[in-house]
Amino acid sequence: MAGGNRLRGHWRLFRHEAGRVAGPPAWVYVLLFAASQLIGHWSVATYGTVVVWLSNGIMAAALLQLHRRPAVAVLTACFTINLFSNLLRGDPGVLMWVNALLNLGQAALAALLARRVCGAALDMRRPRRLLAFGLYAAAPTVTVATFVGYGLVLLIRQSELTTVVLFNLYSFFIVEFLGLLLVTPILLLVARAHRFEGMTRAQAPEAIGLFGLMLVVTTAVFWQDDLSVAYLTFPPMLLMALRLSPTKSAVALILLAAITGTATLTGHGPVHLTRLAEVPGLEAVSPMLRRLGIYNLYLLAMVATVLPISTVMTERRQLETRLRARTLAAQEARRTAEDAAAARSRFLAMMSHEMRTPLNGVAGFADVLAGRPGLDAEAVRQARQIKESSDGLLMLVEDILDFARGDDTLTNEPLDLAAVARKTVATSLAAAEARGLKLTIDDRLPAQARFTADRRALRQALHPLVANAVKFTERGEVVVRLDRAGDGVCIRVSDTGCGIEPSVLPELFEAFAQGDASIRRNHSGVGLGLALAARHVRRMGGRIDVDSRVGEGSTFILHLPFERAADAIEDITPAVETAPPIEESDRAPCVLVVDDHPVNREVARIMLEAFGCEVVEVCDGQQALNAVAEQLFDLVLMDVRMPIMDGLEATRRIRAIPDTGEALSIVAMTADAMPEDVTRCLAAGMNAHMAKPINQAGLLSMVNRALSGDLPAARVTLEAEAA
């Protein structure tokens, strides 16, 4: 049943009742049909022939554009007018009815085929549909009408098939075909003129000028009898097709047909300069009638050229308009996305800063309390519990921010993978020692080997794996093994913990997925660590596998396609004598702590004094600049976000101080810990970056590196040099 409905829809004759009526009302088609009949009678009475038969094209357009009832009314009225016209012409009784029925049938068949091959919209703006109408609707319809009509005439008159009859067949075909091709698409285009608004390149003055040029050239060419220059009418029409809408081009074609047809019928124009060939059997055919065949070919060529070009240009302009609109929409979407990305980056940076600042106080004081002598064992245990809780909160904050930040561009460099692994493992050493676990690195890579990789992505991939291994292992050990594997590197993180249930493995690397999400679970966490590890491994072009047995432990295997870089060269140059170490000098190391938050300054001061350092505290960049100008310091710990003068500007100005600024070690000690923050700090002239919250071990390592000259050299920017 559904297939039958579709078939009827494809081959229906009348417009669907739900479709919006387009074009003029029904009575206009009747008037146009009556006018075409009058023009035909006048042409036959005056010149003995018809140049173009428009009546069938008008009926076909009415069938395509009207609903059933008004369409039937128009066909009835047109059939009646056709009968009356045949009667006035003096056709015999049978031929009078045959002629009217053939005209009606030709219009109906043309409309039926057009609805089938041109689509429901009948949008003649599309060149493909215009071509389909000409080839698959108009041509077959006129062919059928030609052979059926003349076959009946020959049968009725009992005539033979002669050369004259064949010529008449050709003339009938070209006149009827030209009428359908000229009238029906033009009426459809005119009916949808609203669709061409804004689709023309020419303004009103240019359009008027083009119409005037076409009328002048056409009149001059077809109302003279000396030169065969019909081709001169093509350039103005092509200009109109290129610059005007199909509707205006169609109107121009009608005007051209009226001028050229009248001139040709009255014996003027280049058509009459054509020398006719001697064709046996056509002696009785008048030269005018034979030349009208040439004229019809000219008019057909004009229609077949102008209308397709006009529709192609309209479609191109429409596509250009859509492209411009989509380009603007894409640009707006890009701006919106960039604004959203910038807002997200600002939000993440702010959240990172605001979360790390209070954590610095919690973790710092817990670290100080845990190492204070004289505390009883219970107080030390409680202080360590605070420290572990703050470390867990910091890890959660970093995981959430890392997950929300997305994938950054990889920055590959030659790396000592074992050194990166040792630095990554160092953050979990305290937790492993508290559990009595052995946390080791098994480096099986060649000595001095370097591999091209992104340091940060590798650390972010390893860190959650090591932290999870420590968290889920009650006794035994955690081993990080590095080894070659084919053209890359294989890193295994193994533990002797509880293992992973097989049912959990398929979703193990999904965000917020957990092996035990019930309220009875033994371990905390939100399930971001493994998802982040897998994402960073994918970013580096590798893959991650899991080998786990419940109760026996787990092994996470990272297959990374790191290329081998040039090996490091072992330094065998003799040591250069240097000044005595700082601990042997007469003064204690002097450190300037620059931070606007008093808790942060106090934490840093207590830790530094425990190392035997002399500490000077200031609360903004301007005070730091004044302090450096007045006193000699071994190290400056510089916050970034501060009132009056921020840490970046203070660093640039310190570097500009003659003699003192260039050699001074300046380390960013800040809650701005995003990758772009690190880059910004180093670009301002700082030697290194240390993210809050700080701990005693990390701070001591940084102080020792500064005092021993082991910090990277400052990258003094042009802005700093200019200052």
Side-chain angles (χ1 to χ4, degrees):
M1 181 63 72
N5 290 336
R6 284 196 299 271
L7 187 61
R8 287 195 299 271
H10 287 163
W11 291 101
R12 67 172 183 268
L13 178 61
F14 300 101
R15 188 180 186 88
H16 197 280
E17 294 298 327
R20 184 167 65 90
V21 175
W27 59 268
V28 173
Y29 293 102
V30 177
L31 287 181
L32 290 175
F33 185 86
S36 70
Q37 291 287 318
L38 289 175
I39 293 173
H41 272 288
W42 168 80
S43 175
V44 172
T46 306
Y47 305 108
T49 185
V50 176
V51 177
V52 180
W53 184 249
L54 307 176
S55 300
N56 296 341
I58 295 170
M59 284 194 292
L63 279 171
L64 291 171
Q65 308 217 83
L66 298 176
H67 290 154
R68 182 189 303 271
R69 289 187 178 182
V72 170
V74 168
L75 291 182
T76 303
C78 292
F79 183 76
T80 304
I81 293 172
N82 199 173
L83 283 177
F84 182 71
S85 174
N86 293 341
L87 182 62
L88 290 178
R89 193 169 56 195
D91 288 345
V94 176
L95 288 180
M96 178 180 70
W97 286 91
V98 168
N99 178 270
L101 288 172
L102 279 176
N103 286 334
L104 183 63
Q106 181 181 337
L109 181 59
L112 187 67
L113 292 176
R115 197 174 295 284
R116 178 67 183 87
V117 300
C118 295
L122 295 171
D123 190 354
M124 292 298 170
R125 293 177 301 170
R126 304 297 175 87
R128 180 178 57 83
R129 292 179 178 174
L130 186 63
L131 181 64
F133 177 80
L135 293 180
Y136 306 125
T141 299
V142 175
T143 301
V144 171
T146 299
F147 285 100
V148 171
Y150 261 83
L152 290 175
V153 170
L154 293 176
L155 183 63
I156 292 172
R157 294 180 176 178
Q158 296 182 351
S159 302
E160 296 181 358
L161 189 63
T162 62
T163 304
V164 175
V165 172
L166 292 176
F167 177 80
N168 290 335
L169 280 174
Y170 159 75
S171 299
F172 179 85
F173 176 88
I174 197 71
V175 168
E176 295 282 343
F177 179 66
L178 188 58
L180 274 178
L181 194 61
L182 184 63
V183 174
T184 305
I186 288 177
L187 287 178
L188 292 175
L189 288 171
V190 171
R192 290 159 176 80
H194 62 280
R195 295 182 178 177
F196 303 112
E197 294 179 0
M199 292 294 117
T200 177
R201 294 188 183 277
Q203 301 298 323
E206 183 182 352
I208 294 173
L210 289 174
F211 268 97
L213 176 65
M214 183 273 297
L215 292 174
V216 169
V217 172
T218 302
T219 303
V221 167
F222 273 82
W223 287 93
Q224 56 85 31
D225 304 319
D226 299 322
L227 301 174
S228 181
V229 287
Y231 57 87
L232 291 179
T233 59
F234 276 87
M237 292 301 299
L238 289 177
L239 274 176
M240 301 185 79
L242 293 172
R243 301 293 295 175
L244 303 181
S245 67
T247 305
K248 293 183 176 65
S249 299
V251 173
L253 279 173
I254 293 175
L255 293 175
L256 179 135
I259 295 172
T260 57
T262 303
T264 302
L265 287 174
T266 56
H268 298 288
V271 172
H272 291 282
L273 299 177
T274 305
R275 186 174 63 184
L276 297 175
E278 297 291 337
V279 180
L282 293 183
E283 293 82 359
V285 180
S286 67
M288 168 68 77
L289 192 59
R290 292 184 63 186
R291 287 192 174 96
L292 281 181
I294 299 172
Y295 168 75
N296 287 331
L297 288 177
Y298 158 81
L299 197 58
L300 181 61
M302 187 68 76
V303 173
T305 301
V306 172
L307 280 184
I309 290 178
S310 180
T311 55
V312 166
M313 295 306 299
T314 300
E315 187 172 33
R316 177 183 175 181
R317 288 191 285 268
Q318 186 178 27
L319 292 175
E320 289 175 351
T321 301
R322 290 180 181 176
L323 180 61
R324 284 193 295 269
R326 291 180 180 179
T327 301
L328 291 175
Q331 291 174 348
E332 183 62 28
R334 179 181 177 181
R335 283 193 294 269
T336 301
E338 289 174 348
D339 292 342
R344 185 186 68 176
S345 298
R346 290 193 298 270
F347 172 78
L348 292 175
M350 186 61 66
M351 288 300 100
S352 175
H353 182 274
E354 295 304 316
M355 291 178 180
R356 288 173 181 276
T357 297
L359 278 175
N360 188 58
V362 174
F365 280 120
D367 209 10
V368 169
L369 287 175
R372 176 171 294 181
L375 288 181
D376 56 52
E378 182 63 18
V380 172
R381 186 189 67 81
Q382 292 173 354
R384 286 178 177 170
Q385 287 292 332
I386 296 173
K387 181 66 169 62
E388 289 182 7
S389 298
S390 67
D391 289 343
L393 182 57
L394 176 62
M395 184 181 300
L396 175 61
V397 169
E398 290 180 342
D399 285 348
I400 292 175
L401 293 176
D402 189 26
F403 182 78
R405 183 164 53 242
D407 296 341
D408 299 322
T409 303
L410 294 176
T411 304
N412 293 321
E413 57 181 322
L415 295 178
D416 180 356
L417 300 185
V420 176
R422 285 192 294 270
K423 193 168 184 179
T424 304
V425 165
T427 58
S428 299
L429 281 174
E433 291 175 358
R435 288 175 169 266
L437 301 176
K438 184 179 180 182
L439 179 55
T440 60
I441 294 179
D442 182 7
D443 181 13
R444 301 187 182 184
L445 296 173
Q448 306 297 324
R450 297 293 183 269
F451 295 86
T452 303
D454 183 286
R455 183 189 304 272
R456 182 170 177 270
L458 181 58
R459 288 186 60 182
Q460 288 175 322
L462 285 177
H463 178 260
L465 299 180
V466 176
N468 273 6
V470 172
K471 182 168 66 173
F472 290 99
T473 303
E474 297 294 336
R475 63 180 64 86
E477 64 177 351
V478 175
V479 179
V480 179
R481 194 180 85 183
L482 298 89
D483 202 353
R484 291 300 305 270
D487 295 332
V489 174
C490 178
I491 303 178
R492 297 171 178 265
V493 180
S494 304
D495 63 66
T496 57
C498 58
I500 304 171
E501 292 285 346
S503 60
V504 178
L505 289 176
E507 300 178 353
L508 190 63
F509 295 104
E510 293 185 8
F512 307 108
Q514 298 182 355
D516 182 5
S518 69
I519 61 175
R520 300 187 303 273
R521 61 181 180 154
N522 297 323
H523 305 284
S524 61
V526 296
L528 282 177
L530 294 181
L532 288 171
R535 187 171 75 180
H536 291 303
V537 169
R538 286 195 300 270
R539 287 177 59 208
M540 293 183 288
R543 75 176 195 275
I544 183 170
D545 298 328
V546 185
D547 181 15
S548 180
R549 294 176 178 81
V550 177
E552 298 181 16
S554 305
T555 299
F556 288 83
I557 309 165
L558 279 62
H559 304 274
L560 301 167
F562 294 160
E563 295 181 0
R564 183 81 175 266
D567 293 350
I569 300 176
E570 186 176 358
D571 188 7
I572 58 175
T573 59
V576 179
E577 292 187 5
T578 59
I582 200 71
E583 55 267 21
E584 296 180 5
S585 65
D586 296 333
R587 66 178 183 86
C590 190
V591 180
L592 176 63
V593 177
V594 188
D595 200 308
D596 63 322
H597 201 293
V599 173
N600 293 337
R601 294 199 302 271
E602 184 178 359
V603 169
R605 176 177 56 78
I606 293 174
M607 290 183 177
L608 290 168
E609 288 178 346
F611 306 150
C613 296
E614 179 184 337
V615 180
V616 176
E617 301 177 36
V618 295
C619 59
D620 61 60
Q622 183 60 54
Q623 293 182 8
L625 189 62
N626 297 336
V628 171
E630 296 172 358
Q631 184 177 347
L632 181 65
F633 292 98
D634 299 293
L635 174 65
V636 177
L637 298 176
M638 182 75 73
D639 191 17
V640 172
R641 296 176 183 264
M642 294 181 294
I644 302 177
M645 183 186 294
D646 61 70
L648 302 178
E649 179 63 24
T651 300
R652 285 190 285 266
R653 295 196 181 189
I654 290 173
R655 291 299 183 202
I657 297 176
D659 301 328
T660 304
E662 293 183 4
L664 182 59
S665 295
I666 304 176
V667 175
M669 187 177 69
T670 175
D672 289 344
M674 306 291 279
E676 56 270 23
D677 297 323
V678 178
T679 302
R680 196 159 46 241
C681 290
L682 298 179
M686 297 184 183
N687 299 87
H689 179 280
M690 184 167 56
K692 295 175 182 176
I694 61 174
N695 54 58
Q696 284 184 309
L699 184 58
L700 176 59
S701 174
M702 188 62 70
V703 171
N704 284 334
R705 291 176 63 194
L707 297 180
S708 63
D710 194 31
L711 289 178
R715 299 196 309 234
V716 182
T717 61
L718 293 177
E719 184 178 354
E721 292 175 356

